[in-house]
Amino acid sequence: MATAKILARLDALPLVQDPGRRYPGLIIQGDTLFILLKDLEEEAPESYALEKVRDWVSMYEQMMAEVGIELPYFRG
């Protein structure tokens, strides 16, 4: 398995190069992603952004379960 490389970091937001991708991406921590979801549910309940973030949180939770890591937030 190829290893991703951290190219830069600004505050808690790292810029990471995935070996399978041409351009680097940002890593968003799971708890930050969940906070974004909750904010969008309040501020933009009918938005495309909410649906996209909802999908990302779902994928994050699925992957965390698959590797046996506890979520960094309470899902209630």
Side-chain angles (χ1 to χ4, degrees):
M1 176 186 276
T3 303
K5 179 180 179 185
I6 297 175
L7 302 176
R9 181 184 305 269
L10 191 58
D11 294 325
L13 199 60
L15 180 67
V16 177
Q17 181 67 54
D18 183 333
R21 301 292 300 221
R22 180 174 178 187
Y23 297 105
L26 298 174
I27 292 180
I28 299 174
Q29 296 296 315
D31 54 338
T32 302
L33 182 61
F34 190 71
I35 290 167
L36 176 59
L37 173 65
K38 293 300 166 192
D39 288 348
L40 284 170
E41 286 175 342
E42 289 180 21
E43 301 295 326
E46 303 296 323
S47 69
Y48 170 78
L50 173 59
E51 291 306 313
K52 184 53 81 176
V53 171
R54 200 174 268 149
D55 289 345
W56 290 343
V57 168
S58 177
M59 288 186 281
Y60 174 77
E61 290 176 351
Q62 178 183 345
M63 289 186 279
M64 291 288 279
E66 287 173 3
V67 297
I69 300 175
E70 187 175 313
L71 294 174
Y73 50 83
F74 175 71
R75 192 66 145 135

